[in-house]
Amino acid sequence: MQLLDGKRLAKEIKAEIKAEVDQLLRQGRRAPALAVIMVGDNPASATYVRNKMRSCEQVGFRSVDIHLPEDTAQDELLRVVDELNSDPEIDGFIVQLPLPVHLDEQLIIEHIRPEKDVDGFHPMNLGRTLLGLPAFNPATPKGIVEMLRRYQIDTEGKHVVIAGRSNIVGKPLAAMLVQKASGANATVTVCHSRTKDLANITLQADILVAAIGKPEFITVDMVKPGAVVVDVGINSVPDASRKSGYRLVGDVDFESVSKKASWISPVPGGVGQMTVVALLENTLLAYKKQIYK
Ligand code: NAD
């Protein structure tokens, strides 16, 4: 087994981005700028936002952290989105999900200007992703595709089985890998909670992507010998031996599956790291106006 080391790759890509930013600054241009809106105090979201801010700092981006109270009204949030939409000093911004239940997530996402939607969740960007047109691809699938590319794992003609059909991982990843393009050209099967006999399908996967949200759900008997296994899941499970009282595990039983797979991504240190880097890449694309001229 070889490790799909997201941590190592993220470091490498961040160094590349930093070199580009340093050059921009030397030319007297301003640094790319990313804003993150977070509503409420969801602890997992707070950790993700902190990681994003730290990553911006590492590559020399300006980051703006907009933290709004849990009871923020929809109109107020829309007003903040409007402000960022029209702020020429902000290249891209995201609204950290999930939002408190009184807020309409889809409405908020659709209020973001597609040119600044660096999470790639606006229907315009998701639609363009499906069509294979230049778009802000959602960060997690973009990070996975980049991970496979950098490890020279060929997807052409390969059977990719994706467990999970979310709008942020499963569906856009399927759209990206099925494109007639290099780094894609895969035969893609998407499985979900209503799929019958999941193991029968995952066993056919040359590349298996687990994005289910159930700790260690993919077991060794569900994986073909030599398969490439990409673990998207981030689940916290109780662990009395840790100071925090918990530890993070993926959707794949790493211990057993790693003995059968040819490549496998760990949790933490795998796809999560690539997701943050993909967000930075989208922000740089927004800054350079490379998607929408
Ligand atoms: P989600 O939580 O919105 O939905 C889960 C998906 O799993 C659904 O599509 C459902 O149909 C499917 N599913 C549930 N039970 C199943 C079963 N028995 N067999 C097959 N499919 C089943 O999905 P999400 O938002 O894509 O998140 C999935 C996991 O990935 C979570 O653990 C989440 O924390 C993690 N995640 C990680 C990153 C990252 O950067 N690494 C990014 C996004 C999500």
Side-chain angles (χ1 to χ4, degrees), residues 258-270:
S258 59
K259 297 190 173 82
K260 206 177 190 185
S262 57
W263 292 89
I264 187 167
S265 70
V267 178

Side-chain angles (χ1 to χ4, degrees), residues 91-102:
D91 301 296
F93 65 99
I94 67 167
V95 178
Q96 184 66 40
L97 304 180
L99 287 171
V101 286
H102 68 280

